[in-house]
Amino acid sequence: MESNESLKNKGDNKTLRLLMPQWQGGNNSAYYLGAQLLNWLAPSSDDAFEEVPIDLSAEGLTVEKGIFARSTLLKQVHAAKAILHKHNPDRVVVFGGDCGVELAPFAYLHNRYDGDAAILWIDAHPDVNSPEHFEHHHAHVLANLLGVGDEDFVAEVPKLVDPKNVLYVGLNDGTASEKEVMDRFNLSVVKPEEIVKDSSSVLDWLDNRNVSKVIVHFDLDVLDLREFRSLLIANPDTYSIMVEKTPKGSSIETIIRVLQDVGKAYDIVGLGITEHFPWEAVALANMLTRLPLIGDINKTDKPSYNWIF
Amino acid sequence: MESNESLKNKGDNKTLRLLMPQWQGGNNSAYYLGAQLLNWLAPSSDDAFEEVPIDLSAEGLTVEKGIFARSTLLKQVHAAKAILHKHNPDRVVVFGGDCGVELAPFAYLHNRYDGDAAILWIDAHPDVNSPEHFEHHHAHVLANLLGVGDEDFVAEVPKLVDPKNVLYVGLNDGTASEKEVMDRFNLSVVKPEEIVKDSSSVLDWLDNRNVSKVIVHFDLDVLDLREFRSLLIANPDTYSIMVEKTPKGSSIETIIRVLQDVGKAYDIVGLGITEHFPWEAVALANMLTRLPLIGDINKTDKPSYNWIF
């Protein structure tokens, strides 16, 4: 099997880097800044780059058919799909944004390789919720890929994912309604403690799939909030409480090692990074808009951790 | 007295925005990324913009005459001075970088207004240390402006600052050697608790100066680490300990209000923001350099919170 490195060395350039600063799927504008910042922090590359147009107005957004900002999210999925079809890449890097940003690129890649791909869902949460139970679409996206949930989102998946080819990595949480879906599909789970020593639990599982490609979802919330605080649950206002009650997540080093080990053994064709929630960057950006010589000293908005577009 | 806003409305455009990502003054490359990120987060402006060239190599840096990277820091002070003299601005915004970034612009402004300026030093620390006691220059900079410390740094201050025109705001800490300097110059202090309710302690002090301009140093470490964690002392590895032992700092809202109140009553001609230490951004950037499709999966460096240039 050819490694990414050797492909890179051959001058393979059919990777698309897709910035999708979608925030409506979690109804928090901080995801917008989080995606932009993630992209800004990434090493530069010669890959094709596109930014999916994202609505910035929160006005009039409501819950439609059990999903907050449903029509806006659908419009944005369609825009992402159009970009993917324009480039027709072999590989896709996604910088989110809420987890819902994975829908279009994962559906595209899975279809492009005709199902010959396993999905690693590296996330503290299972993301198989549905409109009946939870209104934020970022928790629905893996369900959609499996054919579950709102029919218009499911319709964006031309080839449904085989649940046998999905592995959760680092899962730490989940609601009753999500556990029901996980049980129904008999989804496999590698817990945080199983990847601390080495990556064999993930590699062994991959060895038992009959696929040649791997698509990776990496929700930053799989990381431990004591080491990495740019996460929704690491709100400074409630941080000390969350540190007490949140189970230990994976270390940055552990996740890097798992991804490197997988990348050395398999052909990773997709990597999406999501849910970057930079509390301090949001606070700083909002503060700067109100300071002398930089912003408007008459601006009286109380600061919030909502990013002001 | 004319407010900044009214000056802005008249189309005054002699403000220079100076990005100075100096990191050697605290010997931590995270300050480099912190400065770049601060600039990236700032609202765009029509002001002139310049970035002071900063050495990126850590190789060969040593303590010279009691100051870490002394010759490099002096070279960078000279570069900043040259930029200031090229533009000859009426007002300067500084995005640092370690606190030492204030030396050239504060010396320039204080000289430009012929001493007709008060300095608000909004900082948890007094920054009046000297080479005999402490090797990191970021803790020397206010001493230099007062004529104390290494002679080559002091030589960059054409008109020494009158200690009567310096006010500490939010001061929370200080070493014995710094307290000796503070006592010698009888420097005024407004403590964090004195600005919680309103800004009168600062405004009253300013009313008793005989100056028409105000220059503001804002070290982000004046903020409470429980609210704002992109600070040196908020290292995730030791955060829970530091939260226990660090006295309460000022809230973001308090500092904004003080700066707005001062800006409405006085002509602020300089504002420097320093010591932005974005732990999570550093960790994320370093991680991205090692991930499949984005970075190099053979890169084995352990992650650190040192920014990799």
Side-chain angles (χ1 to χ4, degrees), chain A residues 292-293, chain B residues 4 84 89-94 101-122 142 145 157 159-162 165-169 202 205-206 209 211-219 258-259 262-263 266-273:
Chain A
L293 304 191
Chain B
N4 295 324
L84 287 157
D90 299 313
R91 293 174 179 74
V92 182
V93 170
V94 189
V101 303
E102 310 286 39
L103 185 59
F106 279 38
Y108 163 83
L109 286 167
H110 188 254
N111 188 54
R112 186 183 199 300
Y113 295 106
D114 199 24
D116 179 24
I119 292 182
L120 298 183
W121 202 262
I122 305 177
L142 181 55
L145 290 163
V157 187
K159 186 179 180 67
L160 294 183
V161 169
D162 182 342
N165 288 337
V166 175
L167 178 68
Y168 286 115
V169 179
V202 176
W205 180 88
L206 282 169
R209 296 315 100 187
V211 297
S212 69
K213 315 288 181 199
V214 178
I215 305 170
V216 179
H217 162 69
F218 175 11
D219 182 328
V258 168
L259 287 175
V262 171
Y266 292 90
D267 186 6
I268 297 180
V269 294
L271 173 60
I273 305 180

Side-chain angles (χ1 to χ4, degrees), chain A residues 148-166:
Chain A
V148 172
D150 183 288
E151 62 183 354
D152 285 355
F153 287 90
V154 172
E156 294 301 308
V157 186
K159 185 176 178 70
L160 293 182
V161 169
D162 182 341
K164 287 199 299 296
N165 287 336
V166 174

Side-chain angles (χ1 to χ4, degrees), chain A residues 3-5 8 15 17 33 36-38 40-44 47 91-93 95 218 220 223 226-230 234-237 239 252-253 255-256 259-260 263-264 268-271 273 276 279-281 283-303 305 307, chain B residues 3-5 8 15 17 33 36-38 40-44 47 91-93 95 218 220 223 226-230 234-237 239 252-253 255-256 259-260 263-264 268-271 273 276 279-281 283-303 305 307:
Chain A
S3 78
N4 295 324
E5 270 315 289
K8 222 171 201 174
T15 298
R17 208 181 257 202
L33 182 65
Q36 298 287 356
L37 178 51
L38 184 64
W40 185 77
L41 290 169
S44 60
D47 297 333
R91 294 175 178 74
V92 182
V93 170
F95 292 140
F218 176 9
L220 292 168
L223 300 175
R226 297 159 198 88
E227 183 187 14
F228 188 80
R229 298 164 298 194
S230 289
N235 183 339
D237 287 345
Y239 185 68
I252 294 173
E253 191 61 23
I255 298 298
I256 293 174
L259 287 175
Q260 291 192 333
K264 286 169 191 168
I268 297 180
V269 295
L271 173 59
I273 305 179
H276 183 212
W279 294 96
E280 278 71 21
L284 201 47
N286 288 343
M287 180 177 76
L288 290 168
T289 67
R290 299 168 63 195
L291 295 188
L293 304 191
I294 299 169
D296 177 356
I297 59 170
N298 293 304
K299 210 162 155 222
T300 54
D301 333 25
K302 293 287 168 199
Y305 292 109
W307 164 247
Chain B
S3 79
N4 295 324
E5 271 316 289
K8 222 171 201 170
T15 298
R17 206 181 259 203
L33 182 65
Q36 298 287 356
L37 178 51
L38 184 64
W40 185 77
L41 290 169
S44 60
D47 297 333
R91 293 174 179 74
V92 182
V93 170
F95 291 140
F218 175 11
L220 291 168
L223 300 176
R226 297 158 196 87
E227 183 187 15
F228 187 80
R229 299 164 298 194
S230 288
N235 183 338
D237 287 346
Y239 185 69
I252 294 173
E253 190 61 23
I255 298 298
I256 293 174
L259 287 175
Q260 291 191 334
K264 285 169 192 167
I268 297 180
V269 294
L271 173 60
I273 305 180
H276 184 212
W279 294 96
E280 280 70 23
L284 200 48
N286 287 344
M287 180 177 77
L288 291 168
T289 67
R290 298 168 63 196
L291 295 189
L293 305 190
I294 298 168
D296 177 356
I297 59 169
N298 293 306
K299 209 162 158 224
T300 54
D301 334 25
K302 293 286 167 199
Y305 292 108
W307 164 247

Side-chain angles (χ1 to χ4, degrees), chain B residues 52-242:
Chain B
V52 181
I54 298 297
D55 273 9
L56 296 185
S57 172
E59 217 167 319
L61 294 184
T62 55
V63 177
E64 312 155 52
K65 298 189 181 180
I67 297 177
F68 179 79
R70 181 180 180 278
S71 50
T72 302
L73 290 168
L74 280 170
K75 186 175 69 178
Q76 291 167 184
V77 169
H78 299 156
K81 180 170 66 176
I83 289 170
L84 287 157
H85 287 168
K86 185 180 84 176
H87 285 269
N88 196 32
D90 299 313
R91 293 174 179 74
V92 182
V93 170
V94 189
F95 291 140
D98 71 69
C99 283
V101 303
E102 310 286 39
L103 185 59
F106 279 38
Y108 163 83
L109 286 167
H110 188 254
N111 188 54
R112 186 183 199 300
Y113 295 106
D114 199 24
D116 179 24
I119 292 182
L120 298 183
W121 202 262
I122 305 177
D123 200 311
H125 305 97
D127 293 353
V128 287
N129 229 318
S130 53
E132 303 84 59
H133 303 287
F134 192 65
E135 71 191 29
H136 288 164
H137 181 265
H138 64 164
H140 301 183
V141 58
L142 181 55
N144 296 158
L145 290 163
L146 293 163
V148 172
D150 184 287
E151 61 182 356
D152 285 356
F153 287 90
V154 172
E156 294 301 310
V157 187
K159 186 179 180 67
L160 294 183
V161 169
D162 182 342
K164 287 199 298 295
N165 288 337
V166 175
L167 178 68
Y168 286 115
V169 179
L171 196 76
N172 236 343
D173 203 357
T175 65
S177 60
E178 289 181 301
K179 279 167 189 159
E180 190 274 319
V181 176
M182 289 171 65
D183 286 346
R184 186 181 355 144
F185 286 112
N186 197 24
L187 296 174
S188 301
V189 178
V190 164
K191 290 182 181 164
E193 54 270 29
E194 296 175 79
I195 49 172
V196 168
K197 200 171 58 85
D198 60 40
S199 313
S200 59
S201 56
V202 176
L203 296 172
D204 290 350
W205 180 88
L206 282 169
D207 284 347
N208 289 316
R209 296 315 100 187
N210 191 23
V211 297
S212 69
K213 315 288 181 199
V214 178
I215 305 170
V216 179
H217 162 69
F218 175 11
D219 182 328
L220 291 168
D221 79 2
V222 79
L223 300 176
D224 193 89
L225 82 163
R226 297 158 196 87
E227 183 187 15
F228 187 80
R229 299 164 298 194
S230 288
L231 304 174
L232 176 61
I233 56 163
N235 183 338
D237 287 346
T238 52
Y239 185 69
S240 58
I241 299 162
M242 296 310 283

